[in-house]
Amino acid sequence: MSSHVQSGMAMKGRDPQTGFHAARYSDGEMAAIAERQGLRMPRSIAQLHGVASAARVDQNVRLLTRSLVLGDPMLVAVQKGYKIISTPSGCLEVHAGEAVLIEAGEAIDVENVPDGDGLYQAHWIAFDNRLLGALDAREGDAREGGGDRRTVASPVNAPNSEVQEVFLDSVERACEAILKECVAPAAVGRPRVMELLAWVEELCGFLPRPARCSTTGRVRALLTEDLAARWTTDQLARRLGLSEATFRRRLAQEGTSLSVLLTEMRMGQALRLLQSTDLPIIQVAFSVGYESPSKFAGRFRSRFGFPPSSLRLAAPPAVPAM
């Protein structure tokens, strides 16, 4: 999409739903304006290749998602309501104005709780393993010094409100660079994500760790290329340079199988799309390999305990004409 300059500021075409220029406002300001006008900003998941992906979550029902496994480490900054994360080591609450770093590859239970006005809202940034892999050697040196306080879900909060505000501004700027690439190109987006990672390291004492390079991890990376494809063990084994028997044995040793991995990844991606985009449910189903929306809905309910429609924001009540 092309952009132009007006009054010394990069401008973007008017959003068809809101009628105002996206580039003139932060995401928070745009959401506030849209709310006052009785509108809601369209949502999407954006990716800066090899760096990070980002989105925002709007949810107005309290739902518990069990045994969720992330493919990439993720930073979540809560704006409204609060998030409850349960791990084998304990339970963590993340309230509005706070952030949490969630490591990849570990099963967690997540509950998003709306605030008194009935809305849970957050931004998330998932860091690409390729970026983190390039930084891992430096963190390894730091770990030799014994400073790592890593847990599956680690709070990322400053010691005082003034510093926290600057940190959250860094989160906002990184999200904005990823979500509005036509305004902030990749040459700007990567430094903003690196700035955010510097904040994470400063406040946590460590950087997010790239996912382990196991057979399961390598398969996950391949499946991510196209979750709707009809993947076979033979095809994936050849991509990994393994015999089919060795491929099956290694997955079994890691406690999984291709069918389990594929289902979990498809359902995980469907969950993200339902939480963070406005795609129709039927399109979400197609995008993760289900030709039958009813079969998709049944599998989704079986996996998470609630139907896909639960993650769609209910329309606000109509205001009667005066």
Side-chain angles (χ1 to χ4, degrees):
M1 184 180 294
S2 62
S3 61
H4 61 278
V5 177
Q6 178 175 320
S7 303
M9 185 180 299
M11 302 295 290
K12 186 178 178 181
R14 287 184 180 272
D15 185 283
Q17 293 190 27
T18 64
F20 51 79
H21 293 286
R24 294 179 59 188
Y25 307 93
S26 70
D27 285 348
E29 290 169 330
M30 291 167 68
I33 293 170
E35 185 176 350
R36 287 197 297 270
Q37 296 180 357
L39 302 169
R40 185 168 59 84
M41 292 301 302
R43 301 175 301 159
S44 65
I45 297 175
Q47 182 176 20
L48 200 56
H49 186 68
V51 179
S53 56
R56 79 173 195 269
V57 175
D58 298 298
Q59 192 172 313
N60 58 6
V61 291
R62 180 171 182 163
L63 293 173
L64 171 63
T65 305
R66 295 190 180 277
S67 301
L68 187 64
V69 179
L70 300 182
D72 295 310
M74 179 181 290
L75 179 76
V76 181
V78 177
Q79 296 167 309
K80 293 186 177 182
Y82 65 99
K83 176 184 289 288
I84 304 172
I85 302 174
S86 299
T87 72
S89 60
C91 184
L92 175 67
E93 289 190 6
V94 187
H95 292 263
E98 298 177 343
V100 60
L101 176 67
I102 307 173
E103 297 283 5
E106 302 289 343
I108 58 174
D109 294 346
V110 178
E111 190 169 10
N112 295 336
V113 184
D115 63 8
D117 294 327
L119 182 63
Y120 169 86
Q121 195 170 65
H123 269 131
W124 61 256
I125 296 182
F127 302 104
D128 194 292
N129 280 307
R130 287 165 289 187
L131 176 67
L132 298 178
L135 303 173
D136 196 41
R138 181 162 65 88
E139 189 204 357
D141 294 338
R143 282 200 300 269
E144 292 296 327
D148 196 332
R149 304 187 301 276
R150 185 183 309 276
T151 60
V152 177
S154 304
V156 188
N157 295 310
N160 61 65
S161 59
E162 184 177 1
V163 177
Q164 183 74 359
E165 183 177 350
V166 180
F167 161 61
L168 292 176
D169 181 63
S170 179
V171 176
E172 179 81 13
R173 283 161 47 83
C175 286
E176 184 177 55
I178 298 169
L179 291 168
K180 303 175 186 174
E181 190 175 348
C182 68
V183 177
V188 174
R190 191 179 194 280
R192 288 191 181 180
V193 172
M194 293 300 294
E195 174 191 316
L196 180 57
L197 284 169
W199 271 110
V200 171
E201 186 174 29
E202 174 68 22
L203 298 178
C204 276
F206 53 83
L207 288 166
R209 179 178 292 159
R212 294 188 297 271
C213 191
S214 59
T215 300
T216 298
R218 294 169 69 194
V219 172
R220 284 182 178 273
L222 290 174
L223 296 179
T224 301
E225 294 177 5
D226 185 1
L227 283 172
R230 297 181 180 277
W231 294 98
T232 65
T233 53
D234 176 65
Q235 179 185 13
L236 288 165
R238 282 188 281 106
R239 291 281 298 272
L240 295 179
L242 302 172
S243 69
E244 190 171 349
T246 300
F247 175 79
R248 291 179 185 274
R249 184 173 65 254
R250 288 190 180 179
L251 287 184
Q253 289 171 344
E254 294 172 13
T256 189
S257 66
L258 175 57
S259 61
V260 169
L261 275 177
L262 191 53
T263 298
E264 284 297 297
M265 290 191 65
R266 284 174 168 170
M267 290 297 100
Q269 176 66 357
L271 181 71
R272 284 187 290 274
L273 291 173
L274 290 165
Q275 284 184 318
S276 303
T277 78
D278 293 318
L279 290 173
I281 292 176
I282 188 171
Q283 192 171 341
V284 172
F286 291 159
S287 72
V288 296
Y290 286 83
E291 297 179 359
S292 166
S294 61
K295 287 184 179 179
F296 164 73
R299 179 59 62 91
F300 190 92
R301 181 191 284 272
S302 175
R303 167 62 181 87
F304 295 116
F306 48 83
S309 57
S310 296
L311 289 161
R312 292 307 194 197
L313 289 173
V319 178
M322 299 300 290

